[in-house]
Each structure stands twice: as C-alpha cells, then as structure tokens.
Amino acid sequence: MYKKQAPELNFTSGRRYVTSSTTGMMRLNSKHYNKALAFTIKERQLLGIHGLLPPVVRTVEEQVRIYYAQLVSLGQDLAKYLFLLNLSECNEVLFYKLLDAYTEKCLPYVYTPTVGLACQRYSYIQEFPRGLYITFKDKGHVCNVLQNWPESDIRVIVVTDGGRILGLGDLGANGMGISVGKITLYTAFGKVRPHQCLPICLDVGCNTDSVREEPYYMGLKRKRPPVDEYDEFIDEFMQAVVKRFGQNCLIQFEDFANNDAFRFLEKYRYQYCMFNDDIQGTAAVGMAGIISALKCIGTDLKSQRILFQGAGEAAIGLAQLLIIAFEKAGVKKDEALNCIFMRDSKGLIVKERLADTLSDNKLIFAKEMPFIFKLEDCIREIKPTILVGASAQAGSFTKEVLRLMTSFNDVPIIFALSNPTAKSECTAFEAYTNTKGKCLFASGSPFPPVEFEGHTRYTSQANNAYIFPGIGLGATACCIRYIPSEIFLIAARTLADFCTPEDYAQGRLYPPLTKLSCCAFEIAISVITYAHINNLSTVLPRPTNVRTFLKHQIYDAKYEPVVPPWLNPNLNQNEKIRDNCID
Ligand SMILES: NC(=O)C1=CN([C@@H]2O[C@H](COP(=O)(O)OP(=O)(O)OC[C@H]3O[C@@H](n4cnc5c(N)ncnc54)[C@H](OP(=O)(O)O)[C@@H]3O)[C@@H](O)[C@H]2O)C=CC1
Ligand SMILES: CC(=O)C(=O)O
Ligand SMILES: [Mg+2]
C-alpha cells in the first residue's frame, strides 16, 4: 500500500537513515533515499518495489562508472550541467559519489565555467525547487517565506542577489545558479550534509535590460530598489534567518555587486555569522597562491611589489589581506601599502584622482605619484613582481604585458582570477608562451595543461572553492559567533601547506582539485582551533579532540540499508506494528 505522507527523517548521531514508514515509491522518488539499481532484491521486496526495477543489482561504484561514462558521452557543456543537476535531484548519494570519484572532470560542469553559462540560461533551467527565492515583494514577510523551506536544521546559506554573477554582470534572479553551485561544493568538499545547506536568491530586480526584458525571464521585471529600501530588506532577511535557523547559521554572501557587497560586509561582519566569499574567500585563495609562489621562488613577501588589474571585491579583498600578512611579517602598514598598487577601469589609483571620489576601499591604496592610464605603462613604472587580474576584462594581460613582466622578473607571478574562462585576463597558454615558460601562473577557471619546450605545465585554479567549504564547515561545527579577517589568513596558510615539492615542480601553486575535501577539512580544523583560542566558539564543553569532533560531524555520502520496521530500534512499538501492516 502506498502511503502519501512525506518520508520521515530521523537522526542518530547526526546521521540520516531510512525508516520503514517511507514507502518504496517514495524512496525511489526521493533524492535523499533513492538507490535506484543499488536496492538489493531483499530491500525491493521489503519495500514493495520488486519488479519496478530490472533484476540487476549494482554497487554504487558500478553506478558511478556508468554515470560517468554517460556524462562524458554528452557533447555540450550545458548538457553535462543539466545531466548532473538532474542526477542531484534524483539520487543525492550517487551525485556526491560521482563528484568525489571524478572531481577534476565534473567540477567544470557543476561550477565555473559552466555554471556561468547555466546562470545566463537559468530561466529555462529552473524546474525543481532547488533553493529559496525571496523577492522584494516579500518585504515584511521574509520570515514566512523562510518557513516554507521544508528543512529546519539549516547550517549554511549561500545567498546571492544576482548583482554581479562571476564576471557576467547583473543577472538578477538567474543568479540562483551560483548559489546552487556553491552549495553543491559545500556538501561535495566541505561535507556539510545536503539537507543542512540552503541556496537562496534574493530577487530584488535586475538592472541589465537585456536580462530583465527577456521574454521568459523568471524574476521580477523591475529595476533594483534604492539603497535605503534595499538595506531595510536585507536587514529583515538577516534577522529572519536568525529567527528561523538560529544565530549560528552561516550566511555566505555571494556575487553581490561591488558597493552592496562591501556595505553588507561592513555592516554585518561582527553582528552575524557571515562572510563575503568574493571579498574574503578570494583573498584567502589569492594569499595561499602568493605564499606558494614565494616558497617556489625562495623569496619573501617583504620584497614584493603587487599590481592589481581591477580594484573591486576580489582585488581589494586580497589587498586588504596582504596588509595583514605584511604586518604579521613585521612590515608597518604604511610600508605595506607602498608595495600594493591598484588599477581600476579609469587607470592607476593615485592621489591625483581624488576628484574622482574614490571609494574609501580604494582610497587607502591611492599612491602619491603621477597618474598612469595604460596597464603596460603602469608595469613599466612600478615593475611589479606579482600581477593579479580581477577585472573581468578578457585578454587584458596582453602579449606585451606578459613580456614586460618577464623583462625584469626571473619568475613573474601572474594570477588571472576572473571568471568564467571567457573573462580570464589571459589563458594559461598565453601566460606560459609569452613569458618563455618562466611564470608561475594561476587562474580562476580551469585551463588544460600546457606543453612548453618539452615540459608539461599544470595550471592551478586560484578559486575560492579551495576556501569557503572549509571556512563554512569549521564555522558551523564550532558554532562560531563571527568570522574575523585573520581566519582567512590562517585558511590561506593551511591551504598553502598542502602543496608538495612535486606540485611546485609541475608549476602548481595549489594542491590538485582531488584534495579539495582534505583542504576543507584542515581549514575547518584551523578555524575551530582559532575560534577556541579566541573565545569565538559557542560549542561547550570544548571538544578534547578537535579532529574526532569534526569527523563525527561530516557527511558521508553512502546508501543506508533499509531497515525492516520490526528491526528498527528507533521506532516505538505502535509504529512498528502500524508500519508492518502498511508495508
Ligand atoms: N577566482 C576567484 O575565486 C574569484 C574570481 N572573481 C572574479 O573576479 C572578477 C571581478 O570580480 P569582483 O572584484 O567581485 O568585481 P567588481 O565589480 O567588484 O570589480 C571589478 C573591478 O574591475 C575593474 N575594471 C573594469 N574594467 C577594467 C579595466 N578595463 N581595467 C582595469 N580594471 C577594470 C573595475 O573598475 P571600477 O572600480 O573602476 O569599476 C572594478 O574595480 C570577476 O570576473 C569574478 O568572477 C571574483 C571572486 C572570486
Ligand atoms: C569564484 C567566484 O566566487 C566568482 O568568480 O565570483
Ligand atoms: Mg563569487
């Protein structure tokens, strides 16, 4: 007999298991419980689904291999994205097992660069409830919308308002794709349990006319509200999250437009358990790359001059973290500031430009020197040792730029952080060929290895995906009160420590993507340890062994056996009798 109520969720030591009151059809149709061909014959009989599946019983490993073969047989990137999205909707365990087994192959389809394309088409993609849309029309009732989310034990929220999706600009409600992508990584690598993660899109309108006026656009067909009204809405959202999910629920701000991103970070950073991934997560991954590069060359931070192409969230975030790192290395703030140069869309940031009304974030980096517009001229004048691109201006690291960097550096350090691939300041091939293979290069989106003069150079992906899953896991595990900037420096060092001499020899500045989960785990350990030392953890009593404590909290993607009701110790006697009759 087919019972109509939703499957029961039970927790033993934090683990979700299947109760007998979940009928066979419901299990087949539920992404949490579906095992598809991995249901044993006994389980199929017990659940009343025997005959609904072909007789073969597969192991999860076989399923993973088969799904991977299907994935690679698909032609287009977007088809691969949809295939994986569909799998995540049908069979969660298999989806995460596949990601685990083929991380490097799958990541470009669930994340950058394909997630950018998916966001651009999201109005055609969104079918299942895969996250929560809270619109500006819900102002005054945000808490009610949050109540509609069927899970109550939410530990991590990734929220975007679609204001600046990767380097693709304002995509409005289509930005949901980025929250979904980041949340996927939280479970895949941070091992935060899937039902504890919630992607949110705050749809307050869209200022890109072509997106908003598109006939099938799924969001509100209005422009973004004035700042004061928007701020009231975000205040209400933050308070509603705490009311619904508690003050330890981590809120990751993702891909907000520049001014909003900085304003909300300043406003909430010590008030809520939150961080901004584009400012702080990117800072940490950039910092880790710089630490690695300096180790490779055998030099130190004090002797570097860093030039940023772009002075937005990513660039300013990294520049601010660099100041902290310089200070820790014994360099005074004023001297540290002299080592960091920024160039935005109007040229080099110099004091002369004060009439431009430079934002406070830019102002502190403004130099007492003549204004220079062209990037090439900035490089000639400044002679940077490190060049960081975070401008979403594809091709701005021209042949000339790269050759100039090589003309006065034995080993130029070049980071092209912009996403997706089509926005990268240069490709890996361009970086290596135009620096005679001398540069240390990392990019925000993946590039294939480059053959240069008989050597294979593996490009590292300098992406905040190395950082945020670990920060989130650590912060939620110890119920941190707030997340100070120093944590991002610690995360950067932890990540850099993962690199081996073999990685460096291959030109990698980060560990291979296959180590993303290990990196997240170790970053989480550093976060928890820091939180304990600095009295920011609210988990009491303090765990005596942080590793064991954390291991018990993480998600293990595996099929749970179906327990017959009469053997299920977690059901009371009446439930056992009732379930026994019904099943
Ligand atoms: N690898 C990673 O992990 C991450 C990568 N990114 C990527 O970095 C890029 C920028 O993101 P974000 O910093 O958040 O965006 P912002 O909009 O905050 O900043 C963009 C910056 O680029 C500057 N800019 C635009 N055109 C030029 C130009 N021609 N020359 C020099 N500077 C220019 C802008 O100048 P102005 O201030 O004058 O407008 C602005 O300072 C995106 O592509 C994003 O995907 C972001 C986060 C993480
Ligand atoms: C990676 C990322 O967060 C971005 O490009 O915005
Ligand atoms: Mg981002």
Side-chain angles (χ1 to χ4, degrees), residues 364-532:
I364 65 158
F365 296 101
K367 295 285 168 300
E368 196 83 69
M369 64 189 277
F371 173 71
I372 307 171
F373 178 70
K374 279 186 73 186
L375 178 59
E376 288 82 345
D377 294 337
C378 293
I379 295 175
R380 274 190 201 94
E381 181 63 30
I382 295 162
K383 298 201 169 32
T385 53
I386 303 176
L387 178 63
V388 180
S391 60
Q393 299 301 305
S396 54
F397 291 174
T398 58
K399 200 182 270 189
E400 193 185 354
V401 163
L402 295 164
R403 286 184 178 167
L404 271 170
M405 284 296 290
T406 320
S407 65
F408 48 82
N409 287 302
D410 290 339
V411 184
I413 301 169
I414 316 271
F415 291 172
L417 298 183
S418 295
N419 297 316
T421 317
K423 299 287 177 184
S424 188
E425 283 77 9
C426 67
T427 65
F429 180 80
E430 288 163 349
Y432 292 124
T433 51
N434 292 315
T435 60
K436 301 183 189 148
K438 287 182 179 178
C439 73
L440 289 170
F441 178 72
S443 56
S445 292
F447 281 107
V450 174
E451 294 296 328
F452 188 80
E453 294 183 349
H455 294 287
T456 305
R457 304 295 299 261
Y458 293 88
T459 305
S460 311
Q461 200 175 333
N463 194 293
N464 49 31
Y466 274 107
I467 297 292
F468 71 80
I471 297 279
L473 175 65
T476 54
C478 71
C479 297
I480 202 164
R481 284 193 286 134
Y482 62 88
I483 307 179
S485 302
E486 206 183 346
I487 279 192
F488 294 91
L489 186 56
I490 291 166
R493 288 183 180 144
T494 308
L495 175 58
D497 281 347
F498 262 88
C499 286
T500 61
E502 291 76 41
D503 292 330
Y504 293 151
Q506 292 179 335
R508 294 184 202 265
L509 298 178
Y510 298 92
L513 294 170
T514 46
K515 291 198 184 154
L516 273 168
S517 299
C518 305
C519 295
F521 188 86
E522 291 306 323
I523 289 172
I525 295 280
S526 325
V527 170
I528 298 169
T529 309
Y530 177 92
H532 285 165

Side-chain angles (χ1 to χ4, degrees), residues 230-240 267-268 272:
Y230 188 35
D231 286 7
E232 281 172 15
F233 178 67
I234 298 290
D235 271 347
E236 184 186 344
F237 167 72
M238 298 299 280
Q239 287 160 20
K267 192 166 178 186
Y268 300 128
Y272 290 91

